[in-house]
Amino acid sequence: MICGVAALNQSYLSTHSQLHRQWKRRSADVGGLLLATGNSGQGKGWAGTEVETQYAELLSDMYNQTLQAVNEHACDFVPTSLSKPTRSRLIRSLDIWHFEPHRLSEEEILASTLILFEALYRIEGMEEAVGVSLDQINSFVYHLRQIYRYENTYHNFEHALDVLQATQCYLETANMVPPVTILLEPNRTWKSSRVPNSDALIQTLGLRDLFALYIAAIGHDVGHPGVTNVFMKNAQTPLSLVFDGRSALENLHCQLLLRVMRHHGLGVLLDDPVEGTRFRKILIQTVLATDMSVHGDFMQRFQEEVDGRRASVFLRQILACQAILKNADISNPSRPFPVAKHWATALMQEWTAQVELEQHFCLEQSVQPSADPLGKAKSQIFFISAFAKPLLDLSVQAIPEMARYAQHCHMNLERWKTQKEELESHNDRPSAVPIPPPRSPRQPSDFQSAFPLTLPYGSTSLLPTPSTTASVPNSTASSDSDPTSPCESVSSSAPFFSPASEAFSQNSVVSSQPSNLRRRTPSSSGSSNGSDRTTPSTSPLALTPADGHEAIRAAARLSIRHINKANHRFSHNNAPLFNSSSPLSTVVSASPTPSLSDPLPPPLTAPSPLTGAGKLSVNGSSPHISSPLFRKEVSAVKEQTPPVLSS
């Protein structure tokens, strides 16, 4: 009897405990719902009432925007067939320190990246240790390449390839990976003579660690908007708010990189029950270390390693990967001098564009670009003396094989100092003509294609003033757009990472001003085969609030053009991305000059506080008109027509 009562009590307590836990979770849900729907907070809540849920909305937007950025650039990889002489030339060029990716064509840039991974897979046991095929790597790299922005003159895919090649050179010098020329010998494999152990720092790295380092190198700047963390912190951009101003860009790169990895089956490395957590930490911590604001902390930890105060093996492996990638990321000053000068110029151009954007938003100037050679020489002397050379000198103490790269850096520093002295003596002459401040070929509106959360609130102010715009009904589609652009959107009317000129030139009328005064569209920076297209700095949507319905129709027409180009681009598929029965097709067939009495366009979904309105329902899905280009116009419509939630 007593045992029966005890068992009954125990069963009751167990059931009560489960009910308590369930009720506790439900009470928390109800409480959260009450907070979300109450009227005592500030700001726009997810339930549509005035509540203070900004941080939750930022996290939600971060998740949705990165997911969309990855999905909209997902396309099948079509390998390009290189001739044997071209492939041999690329293989040999990747094995020397005088490497110039900015002189390669687009096909050669992508092929060079794949060649480096192919050489890595010649290590005995590498593919088995990683569990990922080369075909998956090819698709992964091709996908990443779509998300790097063309407009950036420095932080572009050429820079990513440059960093990966520098990483390969460092590891090859340390006898950790084979030379790239091993690919000239079919079916030959390679094994390092260095046995993994915990003595030398570089020898702590295993096969998976080397693979993680290669992945970090090629993806460490993916989605870079072309502005710095300091700019985003000063502008209080959503991305900076999400990460509290701490390594916001590097966290964005990690989020995009992990998503693309999972998209192509590399998630097996991240979710491995035994090694997954370790692999993720090495990958993420290595990318985060490229933020120069944490450079001092890294140098302190690195000095402790050199002084013999060693941490655990795992922390030393992270430190080794960070040291290699950080050196590769700022390897430009140690390249041959002509190559170093090119990258210095590319960085100055990107900084100049940022300064003009800061002036546009009335922000404090956070970078100091210089158009004159003297200013550039001073900038390089400071950077090499403060960052590049001390890092290399310390790396040589931990990895002695890197001594020759430190010597290159020292030689370049002396050349910059000599150039500075010569320029100063020249400027002392009375005939010296002062050089005007640098001007960027890019306009603030070119940043419209950047990742949305990296721009300040209300970025519709990036648009040109209405006095310089062309009206939509009389506009014509430009033939200058490039439907084969690797950065072009597949399903979005104004893609996150596509060239801004695409969005502007679709409906713009070429200005009658002289061609030498028109703004040139930037192409893949530094490339010798850059585009010479010209686009006027005008907006195709100069609409007043009274033209609200036309604003949505214009947005839909522009979206359809991108959809048609995407269908043309992927014509090898069985079916187009959007069929003729799509609700958007009815918008395209509308009259070029519709009146307000015409049928209303497809309904709007509930607007996001950060991304604004502009989501059209297409066959049950919602391709985003996410660019700030359309926020102002659609917000004017909301004053007249209440938004309707799509089913």
Side-chain angles (χ1 to χ4, degrees), residues 117 120 123 126 130 164 167 171-172 175-178 190 192 202 204-217 278-279 282 321 324:
F117 277 95
L120 179 68
I123 300 177
M126 175 61 75
V130 173
L164 177 61
T167 299
L171 294 174
E172 179 192 346
N175 198 29
M176 294 297 294
V177 299
W190 183 89
S192 175
I202 195 67
T204 61
L205 301 180
L207 296 182
R208 283 201 173 196
D209 307 326
L210 294 175
F211 184 77
L213 185 52
Y214 269 53
I215 294 294
R278 179 180 168 279
F279 184 91
I282 289 180
C321 290
I324 293 293

Side-chain angles (χ1 to χ4, degrees), residues 244-276:
D244 196 23
R246 300 174 183 174
S247 303
L249 283 176
E250 289 70 27
N251 277 286
L252 171 64
H253 305 325
C254 288
Q255 292 296 319
L256 291 172
L257 181 58
L258 295 178
R259 284 190 182 277
V260 179
M261 288 181 66
R262 295 186 185 279
H263 192 91
H264 294 278
L266 278 69
V268 295
L269 292 164
L270 306 173
D271 303 326
D272 185 278
V274 178
E275 296 289 333

Side-chain angles (χ1 to χ4, degrees), residues 218-264:
I218 197 60
H220 77 284
D221 272 334
V222 62
H224 198 293
V227 295
T228 63
N229 279 322
V230 178
F231 166 85
M232 294 195 301
K233 188 173 183 179
N234 292 342
Q236 291 291 288
T237 63
L239 185 65
S240 186
L241 294 176
V242 166
F243 295 105
D244 196 23
R246 300 174 183 174
S247 303
L249 283 176
E250 289 70 27
N251 277 286
L252 171 64
H253 305 325
C254 288
Q255 292 296 319
L256 291 172
L257 181 58
L258 295 178
R259 284 190 182 277
V260 179
M261 288 181 66
R262 295 186 185 279
H263 192 91
H264 294 278

Side-chain angles (χ1 to χ4, degrees), residues 400-449:
E401 295 84 355
M402 293 183 64
R404 67 177 186 178
Y405 304 107
Q407 184 180 2
H408 272 290
C409 186
H410 177 74
M411 292 169 57
N412 283 347
L413 177 60
E414 294 302 317
R415 289 195 64 173
W416 284 115
K417 288 181 177 179
T418 301
Q419 189 174 101
K420 170 179 171 290
E421 293 173 358
E422 293 175 352
L423 292 170
E424 285 178 337
S425 62
H426 176 75
N427 288 345
D428 289 339
R429 301 174 187 174
S431 58
V433 179
I435 298 178
R439 296 291 298 174
S440 172
R442 298 167 59 187
Q443 303 294 320
S445 56
D446 289 329
F447 286 94
Q448 295 277 21
S449 63

Side-chain angles (χ1 to χ4, degrees), residues 480-542:
D480 292 335
S481 60
D482 182 8
T484 63
S485 170
C487 289
E488 186 182 20
S489 170
V490 175
S491 62
S492 174
S493 64
F496 290 151
F497 302 102
S498 66
S501 57
E502 290 281 339
F504 281 95
S505 64
Q506 287 293 335
N507 289 335
S508 300
V509 179
V510 177
S511 173
S512 60
Q513 60 182 336
S515 59
N516 62 332
L517 297 180
R518 297 176 192 164
R519 173 172 55 89
R520 291 193 176 272
T521 302
S523 64
S524 184
S525 62
S527 177
S528 59
N529 59 344
S531 173
D532 289 333
R533 295 176 294 167
T534 60
T535 56
S537 56
T538 59
S539 168
L541 295 177

